[in-house]
Amino acid sequence: MGGGLRVEYVAHVRFDAEKKAVVHPLEEHLLEVGRLGGKFASAFGNEDWATLAGIWHDLGKYKGDFQEYIRQVTGYERDEAEEGGPGKVDHTAAGAIHAVERMGLMGRILGYLIAGHHSGLPDWIKDEASGRGLQDRIKDRQHLELALAGEPPQGILNAVLPKTLPCGKAISEEHCHLWIRMLFSCLVDADFLDTEAFMDLEKASLRTAGTGLAEFRDCYNRYMGEMQAVSADTSVNRIRRQILDECRSHATWEPGFFSLTVPTGGGKTLASMGFALDHAIQHGKRRIIVVIPYTSIIEQTAEVLRKVFGDEAVLEHHSNLDPDRETKAAKLATENWDAPIVVTTNVQLFESLFAARTSACRKLHNLTDSVVILDEAQMLPPEYLKPILSGLRGLVDLFGVSAVLCTATQPALVGRIGGDKLQNKESFEGLPAGMVRELMTSPDGLAKQLMRVKVERHPKRDQPCSWEEIAADLKELEQVLCIVNTRKNCRELFDLLPESAIHLSALMCGEHRSEVIAGIKAKLKVGDPIRVVSTQLVEAGVDLDFPVVYRALAGLDSIAQAAGRCNREGKLAEAGRVVVFVPPEAAPIGLLRKGEDATKSLVRARPDLVEALSPEAFRTYFETFYSKVNSFDAKDIQALLAGTDAQRFQMQFRTAAQRFRLIDDSAQKTVVVWFEGARFKSRDLLEELRKYGPHRKLMRRLQRCTVTVPDRAWKGLLDQGAIQELMGPDGKGLGLWGQCVPELYDRTFGLRLEGPAFQGDEYIC
């Protein structure tokens, strides 16, 4: 290479408008990634670690075979008629080996970052999928020798070693993996951004400098003032104003953990945002991240916040985005959460905290110095509760995060969780007593003030009611919502009601559900008769206001959420009615059944608590519920990420990431259905897919027309010829499945699954 002349070492090559090759010098790239990564890590006191990771991350690109590869795959310095080129060349091992040789045991930290900056954080011991682990890769010194043969600059090879402690302190093994992942985030984001700045000038130009939160407080104050000016002077609205004022009055409290315990309908979404804004400005926080359990809720919350702060301020990041609301700049920001206000899901946040992939980890460093609002905190999954609370403690203790546990049904997360012993696993210490500060002076008093319903047990008490009996009750009521535990129950009850009744379940695609819910609200507003049977998908984030709600026996938190759809605005002359009945069959085995059993125990011991729906009731309920959980770390995530003293920095990052799945998608499939909505027709989108292939905007729209089904139901549909694989313009399968017979999707029920393979209780929504 070069025939004795000075070799020009290349990081990347692009072509200008005249198709001339433009070279990104390797040394320039290494130094700039080091600078950027160091800037990101300075937020938590480890600029020197991320700087060195950046300087060494592409050391392997000094290898001759890589330089040959980059020229061939780009066409740089080769004859246009030349065919093909060599396979990809490993350029990540050399820097990892160099780090270990220069730093010894501590070099393994940089080894993980450098070796994984393209393929993701590796396991220490080889994983079954790739057959490669960091332990083996750093032994293959040939990679470093080949890089050294390229004579990298001494300033690169002998860069200054880091001296700082993790986050400025000696951290425990429990949180070491989080610190490494944060450094990894700094490296991969810096690498992406510098590469993008060279390769795609237009895309890079769309990125804007981060905007401080101070200017958004004026937007918030103006919006809240306008809203309060036009709101009726009701007792409910007066209490909502008190909640808001009390939240904001505590914004000066020192950063850490907070709880906001407000009954449903108390305006906690906007009140928590008021606290977060004032607290962030007071303590120099950089952004606010609102975390929500369901995508069905996130869309409504994001829409409210856009009205307050404007479209450009709010980034909505989840798998079901509406592409019509997504600007080009927003698409870029989703990669690294570089926005002042982010609305995301439990899945996005917590799977990223335990992720190995670069795309998932890239945004993590932007969690530093943020306010995280965990909406509906009671829905944190119990089987992952131990690693989740560990991750949250790490963010608060080490990375300047303030976390707000926001819910009407506050879970018992302080102190010992799970009692003395569980069936298979030890119980564990949750958040330390005194660490979580409540923003409401008197949550119990607030619960009494905002109690707009009367919770009553069905006249049959503990005896199961038949669906015929419940249907007879519902027929006697003009406006009523009945929430049941499974899709099967929903269909069975609906079939016994008059034709005017409305069915809601997740067998209906998202676009279909949105249209039906809008119709329900319209009928309620004008007082028309309406009977709705739904799964629990309406229990959080769907602002319905019925005078009567029936709820099949379930966890007390679910009953409280159902009560939040009853007399929500407090406009009834008397309290709304919430009738709890025992359905003909118990809830499916698992967490839903454990919640039902915990409620039964509470009803027997303290029926007064159940009727009051008070904070004390939820503390007692969750203590009972958690005592029934088999394991709070069902996949042994923490054991994979924290070794003994003799095994420092021997983490199984990739294996832990593969196991940490809040939604197990291994036993389910997604089907694109035929739905003709007011905004678009899915069959037109499918035709576009067939003609032009997948692209981001198209796939986001199609996701609004999908239904998730169990594997066995999917196989039954496939065998019947009711669905088929979707094809691209080249005639090849896309690994996606779509409806292909008209009778499969129904305007009332959604996807029809009447065959023997469908049991109806696989999914509760």
Side-chain angles (χ1 to χ4, degrees):
M1 288 173 49
L5 298 175
R6 183 181 181 277
V7 175
E8 181 179 35
Y9 286 99
V10 179
H12 310 99
V13 178
R14 63 176 169 83
F15 295 93
D16 61 18
E18 299 177 355
K19 297 187 177 180
K20 291 182 179 179
V22 182
V23 169
H24 191 189
L26 178 54
E27 184 177 358
E28 178 184 306
H29 174 60
L30 297 180
L31 294 174
E32 181 59 15
V33 171
R35 186 193 69 80
L36 269 178
K39 175 184 174 184
F40 297 150
S42 66
F44 51 89
N46 293 125
E47 179 178 359
D48 50 356
W49 283 91
T51 297
L52 190 57
I55 290 172
W56 285 348
H57 84 287
D58 272 354
L59 193 60
K61 288 188 176 182
Y62 281 100
K63 291 164 60 176
D65 55 355
F66 180 85
Q67 290 299 310
E68 188 64 27
Y69 162 75
I70 195 68
R71 285 166 168 78
Q72 289 182 342
V73 296
T74 61
Y76 176 52
E77 287 187 357
R78 71 181 177 93
D79 186 273
E80 288 301 319
E82 183 183 346
E83 294 184 4
K88 291 185 177 180
V89 177
D90 184 340
H91 72 275
T92 61
I97 296 165
H98 184 62
V100 172
E101 289 194 358
R102 281 208 63 191
M103 299 175 63
L105 187 65
M106 300 299 287
R108 293 179 184 177
I109 296 168
L110 294 185
Y112 282 113
L113 313 184
I114 295 168
H117 78 271
H118 282 300
S119 59
L121 285 166
D123 283 347
W124 173 253
I125 301 171
K126 64 182 180 182
D127 64 280
E128 294 179 2
S130 70
R132 305 175 75 199
L134 184 62
Q135 177 179 233
D136 294 330
R137 293 189 69 191
I138 60 177
K139 291 177 182 176
D140 190 357
R141 198 175 188 278
Q142 183 181 10
H143 289 291
L144 178 59
E145 291 171 354
L146 291 171
L148 294 176
E151 299 183 352
Q154 288 302 303
I156 297 292
L157 288 176
N158 298 318
V160 178
L161 301 183
K163 296 182 176 63
T164 59
L165 291 172
C167 305
K169 62 181 76 173
I171 63 174
S172 66
E173 286 192 30
E174 177 187 356
H175 292 134
C176 187
H177 75 92
L178 179 60
W179 176 62
I180 292 175
R181 202 176 268 105
M182 282 291 198
L183 289 173
F184 183 64
S185 171
C186 295
L187 171 62
V188 296
D189 196 22
D191 190 24
F192 271 114
L193 290 173
D194 185 55
T195 302
E196 175 187 276
F198 173 78
M199 297 293 293
D200 192 339
L201 300 180
E202 180 185 359
K203 188 175 181 182
S205 69
L206 290 170
R207 296 191 183 276
T208 56
T211 305
L213 290 169
E215 69 179 73
F216 295 113
R217 183 155 58 186
D218 290 339
C219 298
Y220 179 84
N221 290 339
R222 183 166 53 251
Y223 179 87
M224 296 304 295
E226 291 171 354
M227 191 173 71
Q228 290 175 359
V230 299
S231 297
D233 186 24
T234 64
S235 60
V236 170
N237 282 331
R238 287 194 292 273
I239 294 168
R240 286 170 178 163
R241 286 194 286 272
Q242 292 170 14
I243 291 168
L244 173 62
D245 291 344
E246 191 163 4
C247 272
R248 299 189 76 173
S249 72
H250 294 146
T252 56
W253 286 357
E254 286 301 305
F257 277 103
F258 303 92
S259 58
L260 175 57
T261 309
V262 172
T264 53
K268 64 180 182 297
T269 297
L270 288 172
S272 63
M273 181 56 67
F275 166 81
L277 263 177
D278 291 348
H279 183 74
I281 294 167
Q282 172 76 25
H283 297 285
K285 305 299 182 188
R286 301 187 298 167
R287 60 182 47 82
I288 297 168
I289 300 169
V290 183
V291 188
I292 293 174
Y294 293 140
T295 55
S296 60
I297 309 171
I298 196 176
E299 292 161 356
Q300 176 174 292
T301 301
E303 191 61 38
V304 170
L305 295 180
R306 283 194 192 93
K307 289 178 183 177
V308 181
F309 302 111
D311 288 347
E312 296 302 316
V314 180
L315 168 65
E316 185 181 348
H317 190 195
H318 63 105
S319 61
N320 291 329
L321 285 175
D322 182 341
D324 289 336
R325 294 201 303 259
E326 190 178 34
T327 64
K328 258 191 170 183
K331 292 176 185 177
L332 299 180
T334 59
E335 297 165 354
N336 62 0
W337 284 4
D338 191 9
I341 299 169
V342 179
V343 186
T344 190
T345 60
N346 284 350
V347 171
Q348 275 287 347
L349 174 64
F350 293 117
E351 289 193 1
S352 295
L353 277 181
F354 294 91
R357 292 181 297 110
T358 55
S359 57
C361 291
R362 182 180 174 187
K363 57 184 169 285
L364 289 178
H365 71 89
N366 277 325
L367 285 168
T368 305
D369 289 329
S370 63
V371 182
V372 176
I373 301 172
L374 293 161
D375 199 16
E376 306 297 351
Q378 80 282 359
M379 299 191 75
L380 294 176
E383 62 270 41
Y384 292 100
L385 196 57
K386 190 173 182 180
I388 282 175
L389 292 185
S390 172
L392 288 174
R393 285 198 309 271
L395 290 177
V396 169
D397 292 346
L398 302 174
F399 297 98
V401 168
S402 281
V404 185
L405 304 172
C406 183
T407 178
T409 58
Q410 202 66 242
L413 300 179
V414 174
R416 197 79 184 162
I417 297 178
D420 296 330
K421 275 279 191 179
L422 299 176
Q423 295 178 24
N424 301 317
K425 301 285 182 183
E426 293 284 339
S427 55
F428 74 105
E429 288 296 326
L431 303 177
M435 177 180 277
V436 183
R437 290 158 288 169
E438 172 59 50
L439 295 175
M440 295 292 100
T441 303
S442 176
D444 291 277
L446 195 58
K448 292 176 182 176
Q449 285 182 282
L450 275 174
M451 193 63 174
R452 306 178 298 280
V453 303
K454 183 177 186 300
V455 179
E456 59 187 74
R457 296 168 70 187
H458 191 275
K460 293 192 71 173
R461 312 291 283 179
D462 295 332
Q463 296 301 309
C465 299
S466 68
W467 292 125
E468 287 78 9
E469 289 172 318
I470 298 301
D473 287 355
L474 301 184
K475 289 175 186 177
E476 296 297 317
L477 298 164
E478 287 288 296
Q479 292 186 329
V480 61
L481 166 66
C482 183
I483 303 174
V484 296
N485 289 330
T486 69
R487 295 173 179 179
K488 177 187 175 186
N489 295 163
C490 191
R491 178 63 183 273
E492 288 173 334
L493 179 55
F494 177 85
D495 284 341
L496 297 170
L497 294 174
E499 288 186 4
S500 59
I502 295 173
H503 166 279
L504 267 176
S505 84
L507 284 175
M508 303 156 68
C509 69
E511 195 72 7
H512 189 180
R513 293 198 306 271
S514 294
E515 290 190 6
V516 171
I517 289 170
I520 293 170
K521 290 180 177 181
K523 282 181 174 290
L524 288 170
K525 188 173 183 179
V526 298
D528 285 351
I530 183 171
R531 300 178 185 90
V532 178
V533 182
S534 177
T535 59
Q536 67 182 52
L537 67 86
V538 298
E539 284 185 344
V542 182
D543 295 340
L544 300 177
D545 192 356
F546 281 84
V548 182
V549 171
Y550 270 57
R551 182 54 167 103
L553 184 64
L556 188 63
D557 55 331
S558 292
I559 293 171
Q561 291 290 352
R565 313 312 120 192
C566 182
N567 196 22
R568 187 175 183 85
E569 296 301 320
K571 294 180 179 178
L572 298 178
E574 298 181 355
R577 291 177 60 215
V578 176
V579 182
V580 180
F581 65 93
V582 179
E585 56 193 38
I589 292 174
L591 293 175
L592 198 66
R593 176 79 64 85
K594 293 179 189 298
E596 181 183 288
D597 290 343
T599 301
K600 287 180 180 177
S601 299
L602 190 58
V603 168
R604 287 192 294 268
R606 293 288 305 276
D608 58 310
L609 287 182
V610 175
E611 293 171 3
L613 295 181
S614 65
E616 182 188 355
F618 298 121
R619 283 191 295 271
T620 305
Y621 164 77
F622 276 106
E623 286 169 1
T624 304
F625 173 66
Y626 287 148
S627 72
K628 298 177 182 295
V629 174
N630 294 335
S631 173
F632 295 105
D633 187 3
K635 301 298 179 65
D636 290 328
I637 302 299
Q638 288 193 286
L640 291 167
L641 296 173
T644 65
D645 288 339
Q647 298 173 319
R648 293 291 289 183
F649 314 125
Q650 296 187 11
M651 289 86 165
Q652 296 296 100
F653 283 108
R654 193 161 300 185
T655 299
Q658 290 165 350
R659 292 186 187 179
F660 194 98
R661 289 286 183 268
L662 298 192
I663 298 176
D664 183 7
D665 55 7
S666 62
Q668 61 189 43
K669 293 287 192 301
T670 298
V671 176
V672 181
V673 299
W674 294 353
F675 178 72
E676 294 190 7
R679 299 192 307 160
F680 50 78
K681 299 177 181 179
S682 61
R683 294 185 74 176
D684 292 343
L685 302 179
L686 289 170
E687 180 61 19
E688 184 180 344
L689 180 68
R690 186 189 66 78
K691 284 184 177 180
Y692 305 110
H695 57 83
R696 186 184 183 95
K697 182 174 181 178
L698 173 62
M699 300 312 291
R700 290 288 173 89
R701 281 193 166 192
L702 278 175
Q703 283 192 333
R704 294 285 297 161
C705 301
T706 61
V707 174
T708 301
V709 298
D711 262 358
R712 66 171 180 262
W714 167 81
K715 189 177 186 306
L717 294 174
L718 195 61
D719 292 343
Q720 297 163 25
I723 60 174
Q724 64 185 7
E725 187 173 9
L726 302 177
M727 302 293 174
D730 58 1
K732 294 182 179 179
L734 298 172
L736 304 169
W737 306 92
Q739 176 180 346
C740 60
V741 294
E743 62 271 17
L744 185 63
Y745 196 82
D746 186 275
R747 290 291 304 195
T748 299
F749 302 112
L751 190 66
R752 300 187 72 102
L753 295 175
E754 277 85 0
F758 178 61
Q759 303 301 313
D761 59 359
E762 294 90 343
Y763 291 98
I764 57 177
C765 289

